[in-house]
């Protein structure tokens, strides 16, 4: 039997805890919480996290890392970071949608509370996994285990949330400037996602230019583009010269998220992604890339 290093052993226990928590969460939510179609997104978050963690555990327990079609130095921590963000989103949004205000009492409410608690526990488990697997200063590791790599995951995830908010209802079609903001979100998302795919697929060496130079140039470009979107979006959405959304309308007082709330959320998330790209630029500028990057 091969020797299991303490670091690997801790990861095994943390992944097992995440597997159990996500399994309990979607099992309880699907059998007794009475969520209806409104719970499909949350069920996806928990089920996706469970399935990916189960796959990673099976591959590592069977010693199939070298046969995996992806970089095993990059894939597990990339998935853990996405799972952290998915479970965190579900842990915040699920109680807002299914526990806040007038909701069913009795067994259905108890199931929803249990699902919320275990979703929070799964978030903590995945966060601990990311903390254990990330690269330490001076340690040779895959790019996705470094701070810039983890920031790329956050960039793509925040962009996906922005896409959800601006598409229903559509809030970018009134002015060309708002369409520019949409272009910023799409271009930066595609490039960040491409970096993640290249690293996980071990394809960075196929580029016709140095990967490190591409990362630095792209990070600078993304910061400049997001800076414009951070300014333009709130101006054309809330300034009285272009919109009548200066204040929250009365109909938004009812439970749920209204169009005004989503527009505000996009403004906040745009500013958040700008800060993430700034941190990415700062780290990428001084990151020493290991061989192959």
């Amino acid at each position: 039997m091969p020797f299991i290093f303490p670091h690997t052993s801790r990861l095994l226990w943390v992944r097992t805890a995440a597997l159990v928590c996500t399994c309990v969460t979607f099992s309880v939510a699907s059998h007794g919480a009475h969520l209806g179609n409104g719970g499909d997104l949350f069920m996806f978050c928990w089920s996706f996290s469970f399935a990916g963690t189960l796959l990673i555990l099976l591959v590592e327990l069977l010693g199939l890392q070298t046969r995996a079609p992806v970089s095993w130095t990059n894939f597990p921590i990339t998935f853990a970071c996405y799972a952290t963000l998915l479970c965190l989103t579900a842990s915040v949004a699920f109680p807002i949608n299914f526990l806040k205000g007038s909701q069913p009492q009795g067994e259905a409410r108890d199931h929803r509370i249990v699902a919320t608690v275990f979703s929070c526990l799964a978030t903590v488990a995945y966060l601990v996994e990311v903390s254990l697997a990330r690269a330490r200063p001076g340690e040779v590791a895959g790019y996705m285990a470094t701070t810039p790599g983890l920031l790329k995951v956050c960039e793509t995830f925040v962009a996906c949330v922005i896409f959800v908010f601006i598409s229903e209802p559509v809030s970018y079609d009134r002015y060309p400037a708002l369409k520019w903001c949409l272009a910023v979100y799409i271009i930066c998302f595609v490039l960040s996602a491409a970096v993640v795919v290249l690293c996980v697929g071990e394809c960075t060496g196929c580029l016709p230019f140095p990967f490190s130079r591409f990362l630095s140039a792209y990070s600078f470009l993304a910061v400049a583009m997001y800076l414009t979107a951070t300014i333009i979006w709130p101006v054309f959405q809330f300034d009285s010269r272009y919109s009548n959304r200066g204040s929250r309308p009365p109909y938004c007082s009812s439970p749920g998220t209204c169009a005004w709330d989503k527009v505000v959320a996009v403004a906040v998330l745009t500013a958040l992604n700008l800060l993430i790209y700034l941190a990415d630029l700062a780290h990428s500028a001084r990151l020493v890339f290991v061989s192959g990057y």
Side-chain angles (χ1 to χ4, degrees):
M1 180 178 178
F3 177 75
I4 298 178
F5 293 97
H7 177 73
T8 305
S9 179
R10 290 197 298 268
L11 279 174
L12 176 63
W13 283 109
V14 169
R15 285 170 181 157
T16 302
L19 185 74
V20 172
C21 290
T22 50
C23 180
V24 171
T25 304
F26 75 75
S27 298
V28 170
S30 60
H31 296 89
H34 303 298
L35 303 181
N37 294 332
D40 291 345
L41 176 61
F42 305 113
M43 293 299 296
F44 167 79
C45 293
W46 299 321
S47 301
F48 176 80
S49 301
F50 169 82
T53 304
L54 178 61
L55 175 64
I56 291 172
L57 280 173
L58 289 176
V59 169
E60 297 204 337
L61 290 174
L62 297 176
L64 301 176
Q65 296 93 322
T66 57
R67 298 184 180 182
V70 296
S71 167
W72 209 252
T73 59
N74 287 307
F75 176 74
I77 190 169
T78 303
F79 177 83
C81 192
Y82 275 119
T84 301
L85 296 171
L86 285 171
C87 289
L88 175 62
T89 302
S91 299
V92 174
F94 181 77
I96 292 176
N97 285 272
F98 292 100
L99 286 175
K100 183 181 178 181
S102 176
Q103 299 292 345
Q105 301 297 319
E107 185 178 348
R109 184 174 180 85
D110 293 340
H111 279 73
R112 295 177 182 184
I113 293 174
V114 172
T116 301
V117 171
F118 275 90
S119 180
C120 294
L121 292 175
T123 302
V124 174
Y126 282 119
L127 189 60
V128 173
E129 179 183 348
V130 172
S131 177
L132 290 174
R134 68 183 295 269
R136 302 298 188 271
E139 183 180 33
V140 176
Y143 176 77
M144 296 308 298
T146 65
T147 299
L150 296 175
L151 289 174
K152 293 292 188 302
V153 174
C154 296
E155 292 160 5
T156 57
F157 186 84
V158 172
C160 287
V161 178
I162 290 176
F163 293 146
V164 171
F165 284 146
I166 65 175
S167 60
E168 188 180 347
V170 175
S171 55
Y172 55 83
D173 57 346
R174 289 180 297 165
Y175 297 101
L178 295 177
K179 293 180 180 179
W180 161 252
C181 293
L182 176 65
V184 170
Y185 304 143
I186 293 175
I187 293 172
C188 293
F189 168 78
V190 170
L191 291 176
S192 293
V195 171
V196 174
V197 172
L198 287 172
C199 291
V200 173
E202 289 190 314
C203 300
T204 56
C206 301
L207 296 175
F209 40 78
F211 186 54
S212 58
R213 185 177 302 174
F214 165 73
L215 289 175
S216 299
Y218 157 58
S219 297
F220 180 80
L221 175 65
V223 168
M225 294 177 69
Y226 256 92
L227 180 60
T228 63
T230 303
I231 298 172
I232 292 173
W233 183 268
V235 169
F236 281 85
Q237 292 289 3
F238 303 115
D239 194 303
S240 58
R241 292 173 296 177
Y242 307 103
S243 173
N244 57 355
R245 291 174 171 168
S247 59
R248 196 168 190 261
Y251 63 82
C252 282
S253 59
S254 58
T257 304
C258 66
W260 191 88
D261 294 332
K262 293 181 179 180
V263 171
V264 173
V266 171
V268 173
L269 291 171
T270 302
L272 174 62
N273 234 7
L274 172 62
L275 295 177
I276 296 175
Y277 276 108
L278 279 170
D280 188 2
L281 176 62
H283 282 282
S284 296
R286 61 186 181 86
L287 179 65
V288 178
F289 293 92
V290 297
S291 178
Y293 293 97

